[in-house]
Structure formats: structure tokens, C-alpha cells
Amino acid sequence: MNLLPLPPAYYTQPTLVLARDLLGKTLWRRTADGVVSGIIVETEAYISACDPASHNYRRPTKRSQTMFGPPGHAYIYLTYGMYHCLNVVTEPPGQSAAVLIRAIAPVAGRELMAARCPRRAPRDLGRGPGRLCQALALTIADNGLDLTGDALWLSHSPDMEPLDPARVATSTRIGISQGLDLPWRFFIRACRAVSGPAKLNRGTADG
DNA sequence: CTTGAGATGTTCT
DNA sequence: GAACATCTCAAGA
């Protein structure tokens, strides 16, 4: 099995290319409690230079400095005062862009994830950016983690059949009030682990 | 399946 | 003060 972290060069791909390519990859998380993993089924791209919904669009903020850093690191922030969101930083240092990981289909360590989310249905453990971070025990304390390290990393998914490009769909993004026209959400069609309203999840068939 | 209200703390106007 | 890359719960179709 090839469970080693994807190399730094992987994260130098353009943000929109990476947002799509991350679908079907496996996300791993190691803490003192053990290792958990899941297959990425839903992402969103945020590119500050041209995207009014992106952090750092108006001006750089302290919260989102990590987005200016090197690609292949985690940008994690607190949202709505209660939940966390995990992003993969993209683009060369000095540029601000990232891919929000919105949902995973849990694979390894499902018991540990369930223990972290007491009243949650097993089906919903990785469904949504806030729930995903809770299942993976990610907080702002983990902001900036190197995704080629051994606490949080990505790998190929050798036990999964190659993702059929026809199963990749796009839509507008969720939970924003600006940049509503940009089709920068990517997800796997007909996947129960994908978040968002069913209506949006029909998506656009563009491979 | 859907809708709507409330929780909660940092960032922005 | 208002907005915010969210979620839970309750109630209705």
C-alpha cells in the first residue's frame, strides 16, 4: 500500500486543478489516540486575488496569514465561533489561496472518530467542514501543519478503484454571500458522505 | 425530505 | 453592531 504523504510538489498545482484532484485522495490524521483516515469527497477553492469570498480578499488578516505561506500546509480557522475548517494551502508563497476540505468518507479509525462526536450518526462523521474537523480532532492549534508530516497528511487511495471522472461534479459554493457565481465547489456525485442540500448535489456534469 | 431559530467568538464596517 | 467558508434541534410535508 502507498500510504506515504503526497510530496510537496503535489501541492504546487494550480488551486482549481488541485481542488478537483483532491477528490478520491485519502486524508490521514495521527494523534496520541491513534490514526484515522477518510477519502475526500468534497472540496471548495478559494483564491484571494480574484475571489470576494476568500479570506485575505480585502486585505491580509492575522487569522489567515497561513494562506500566504508555502503550499502543502494546513490552514485551519475558527468559524461561527464554534467550529473549525480545514484548508490545504496552495499557490507559491506570497499568494493567498487554499482548498477547503468540506467532507470525507471515513475509512480507518471510525470508532475513534465516533468517540469524538458523541451524538452523531456514523454516516455524518465526516460530512461537512465543521464535523470533519471534530472527527479528526483538528483545531486552530493545528493551523500551519505541514501536510507532508506525520500528524496530518494526504496519500493516494490504493484500495479504491480509480475515480471515474464522470462522477466528479461542480457547483457554486456553500455558506457564502459573495462570489456566488463561481463554480468552485467540487464533489463526487451520488456519494452519501457529501454535505450540502440535495438540490445542489446534482451539480454540473463536466467531468 | 424540507425549513427556521439559536448558539458562539473573531473579524469587519 | 453585523457578518460569518456551521451545526443541532424541532416541527412540518
Side-chain angles (χ1 to χ4, degrees), chain A residues 18-95:
Chain A
L18 195 59
R20 173 176 307 218
D21 196 76
L22 284 169
L23 296 177
K25 297 291 187 294
T26 297
L27 175 64
W28 296 85
R29 167 65 165 162
R30 182 197 305 277
T31 66
D33 295 329
V35 176
V36 303
S37 76
I39 293 173
I40 295 173
V41 298
E42 182 186 1
T43 66
E44 284 178 357
Y46 289 87
I47 305 173
S48 305
C50 58
D51 174 10
S54 178
H55 295 170
N56 293 324
Y57 173 70
R58 303 285 290 177
R59 64 183 65 78
T61 66
K62 181 178 181 182
R63 168 177 68 173
S64 42
Q65 282 301 300
T66 306
M67 288 179 71
F68 286 106
H73 288 245
Y75 167 44
I76 300 173
Y77 67 92
L78 182 67
T79 190
Y80 291 102
M82 277 173 288
Y83 300 99
H84 297 273
C85 288
L86 167 66
N87 298 256
V88 174
V89 174
T90 62
E91 304 295 339
Q95 295 188 47

Side-chain angles (χ1 to χ4, degrees), chain A residues 75-144:
Chain A
Y75 167 44
I76 300 173
Y77 67 92
L78 182 67
T79 190
Y80 291 102
M82 277 173 288
Y83 300 99
H84 297 273
C85 288
L86 167 66
N87 298 256
V88 174
V89 174
T90 62
E91 304 295 339
Q95 295 188 47
S96 172
V99 176
L100 172 68
I101 309 300
R102 284 197 58 92
I104 60 172
V107 178
R110 287 185 291 239
E111 287 186 9
L112 177 52
M113 288 190 262
R116 289 167 175 159
C117 312
R119 298 173 300 284
R120 187 160 303 150
R123 164 162 292 162
D124 293 335
L125 282 174
R127 185 169 168 272
R131 292 185 279 223
L132 180 158
C133 282
Q134 189 179 359
L136 268 49
L138 290 170
T139 70
I140 52 174
D142 302 297
N143 182 34

